[in-house]
Amino acid sequence: MMKLSKFKFNLPPELIALHPATNRDESRLMVVHRNTGKIEHRIFKDLIQFFGKGDVFVMNNTKVFPARLCGNKEKTGAKIEVFLLRELNPSLRLWDVLVDPARKIRIGNKLYFGKDESMVAEVIDNTTSRGRTLRFLYDGTHDKFKEDLYALGETPLPRYIERPVEPEDAERYQTIYATEEGAVVAPAAGLHFSRELMRRLEIKDSKFVFLTVHSGLGNYREIDVEDLSKHKIDSEQILINLDVVTAVNKAIDSGRRVCAVGTSVMRAIETAVSTDKHLKEYDGWTNKFIFLPYEFSVANAMITNFHPPLSTLLMMAASFCGYDLLMKAYQVAIQENYRFCAYGDAMLIL
């Protein structure tokens, strides 16, 4: 069995990136060659040297929304943080949320948001120990409700970025091609792409296709079992349309590179694979957890960031790269002061 403890390593806290690189495409890029074990040190815009005519990048076009709200509980005025996970019913204004501290919140409690406490929500269900269903009490149109709700929220930076949210985060904790609202976690591998780099790759006849995975907080949940086969990850919603399927299968058939940009994309395409190892259309949910040993069917290249110890993201990267080579690459990354996590540097696995 593959054990959790194999993914433990010492990550110096100062290597966790608290801010993004000044320019998206100038973060560092480690290139790892699976066939030779060679490791190269580049910058992200050097990607252009590894891709060309007929190669396909599969990107996640999910859009992060300002999911973190600060409110007050009725009567006591206690401060409550509400993390919006997803909208359950637009007409009833029902949302699936996490609340902190959870122990103070009961069914029937009202929460108030905003300086004038004009946004009010009522707790109508306890779904898990921390999870709740809130009903927002709001009379206007749905569009106006969303606009007012999001104006109160802030960019949901991961907890390990231990600093206040800054104005630039609204833009930088988002890919430049984000169009489909629904994520509370940015697809970090895609944060490195600039418009200029994408244009230069298109001039070389590389192609970009976009699927949607609404990334949730499940990737950050602690794993509490040593045997990874016993770990269950949260389901995420994915949509893969015909344009993506056609482009990817053409690249597979012509022996070109299919590059999964990020772990969310890799999970999606491995969920939607047919028996003949081609991609198929998909509209639904996935809770696929990829860990060693695993045989990949679609992508033959992957871009990913440097992940924290004991994370499901690290386990997927190791499955694609090979355990020994990936862990060696991580030791090199630490020696060379690569920056880790969402705002950190990137790795290209070929």
Side-chain angles (χ1 to χ4, degrees):
M1 72 174 184
M2 184 48 70
K3 294 180 177 180
L4 174 67
S5 50
K6 291 198 70 159
F7 294 93
K8 193 171 185 176
F9 65 91
N10 184 30
L11 174 59
E14 63 273 16
L15 294 187
I16 296 174
L18 300 184
H19 293 88
T22 308
N23 297 312
R24 286 181 185 268
D25 58 13
E26 289 180 356
S27 42
R28 294 168 75 188
L29 176 71
M30 179 186 284
V31 184
V32 181
H33 298 264
R34 292 181 292 175
N35 57 346
T36 62
K38 181 183 171 190
I39 293 172
E40 296 182 65
H41 303 290
R42 302 290 198 115
I43 59 169
F44 195 78
K45 58 169 115 175
D46 291 342
L47 210 58
I48 194 128
Q49 296 174 26
F50 298 94
F51 294 88
K53 187 178 173 67
D55 294 333
V56 173
F57 291 89
V58 189
M59 327 279 272
N60 181 5
N61 63 6
T62 191
K63 188 173 185 179
V64 177
F65 62 93
R68 192 173 276 131
L69 306 177
C70 288
N72 298 96
K73 188 179 165 189
E74 64 176 337
K75 298 191 180 108
T76 66
K79 277 198 169 9
I80 303 291
E81 183 185 279
V82 170
F83 197 104
L84 302 172
L85 295 177
R86 62 194 175 95
E87 194 169 27
L88 298 172
N89 185 318
S91 58
L92 294 177
R93 317 267 193 260
L94 293 184
W95 280 77
D96 184 15
V97 304
L98 292 177
V99 291
D100 188 28
R103 67 182 184 282
K104 293 186 175 177
I105 301 300
R106 304 271 183 275
I107 291 175
N109 286 161
K110 284 195 171 68
L111 304 176
Y112 295 90
F113 303 94
K115 285 193 176 71
D116 54 0
E117 299 194 332
S118 56
M119 183 71 79
V120 185
E122 185 178 16
V123 181
I124 62 165
D125 186 26
N126 286 353
T127 41
T128 65
S129 58
R130 293 176 60 212
R132 303 286 188 273
T133 303
L134 291 191
R135 178 170 59 219
F136 286 90
L137 310 175
Y138 189 95
D139 288 336
T141 65
H142 183 253
D143 286 349
K144 184 75 175 87
F145 163 67
K146 290 284 277 282
E147 187 185 316
D148 288 354
L149 183 65
Y150 287 0
L152 296 169
E154 66 176 29
T155 303
L157 290 183
R159 285 270 183 236
Y160 57 72
I161 297 180
E162 293 178 352
R163 63 164 173 80
V165 173
E166 295 167 8
E168 73 156 0
D169 291 315
E171 181 206 348
R172 291 304 303 271
Y173 193 64
Q174 192 85 273
T175 63
I176 60 167
Y177 47 82
T179 54
E180 306 304 310
E181 185 184 279
V184 295
V185 176
L191 298 178
H192 306 283
F193 282 88
S194 63
R195 285 191 171 78
E196 184 195 18
L197 177 59
M198 289 176 77
R199 272 201 298 273
R200 288 173 66 203
L201 283 159
E202 283 172 334
I203 289 165
K204 285 190 75 176
D205 275 344
S206 294
K207 188 174 174 65
F208 294 94
V209 292
F210 301 91
L211 50 74
T212 306
V213 184
H214 290 319
S215 306
L217 292 176
N219 294 326
Y220 295 119
R221 189 157 293 140
E222 266 184 48
I223 301 176
D224 53 12
V225 287
E226 176 67 357
D227 177 357
L228 294 184
S229 66
K230 293 187 166 52
H231 180 62
K232 301 279 183 287
I233 67 168
D234 294 357
S235 293
E236 293 180 333
Q237 196 173 3
I238 62 179
L239 176 65
I240 302 174
N241 64 28
L242 186 58
D243 290 351
V244 178
V245 169
T246 305
V248 166
N249 289 342
K250 184 180 173 187
I252 290 172
D253 291 338
S254 54
R256 302 306 308 170
R257 283 203 163 124
V258 175
C259 183
V261 179
T263 52
S264 62
V265 167
M266 188 67 91
R267 181 181 299 123
I269 60 181
E270 286 296 317
T271 297
V273 71
S274 59
T275 49
D276 64 353
K277 300 201 169 180
H278 282 59
L279 194 60
K280 60 187 181 189
E281 289 179 82
Y282 194 94
D283 182 357
W285 294 77
T286 182
N287 62 351
K288 191 173 189 67
F289 174 30
I290 296 175
F291 61 96
L292 283 154
Y294 186 85
E295 191 178 324
F296 290 83
S297 300
V298 180
N300 50 20
M302 181 185 190
I303 295 169
T304 189
N305 278 26
F306 289 90
H307 305 297
L310 306 176
S311 64
T312 61
L313 311 175
L314 176 65
M315 292 158 194
M316 186 192 292
S319 305
F320 189 73
C321 185
Y323 176 83
D324 292 336
L325 180 56
L326 187 88
M327 297 316 267
K328 178 188 169 190
Y330 267 55
Q331 288 311 313
V332 171
I334 290 167
Q335 286 160 17
E336 298 290 331
N337 290 319
Y338 274 76
R339 288 154 31 96
F340 277 66
C341 301
Y343 271 158
D345 295 315
M347 174 186 278
L348 169 63
I349 305 171
L350 293 174

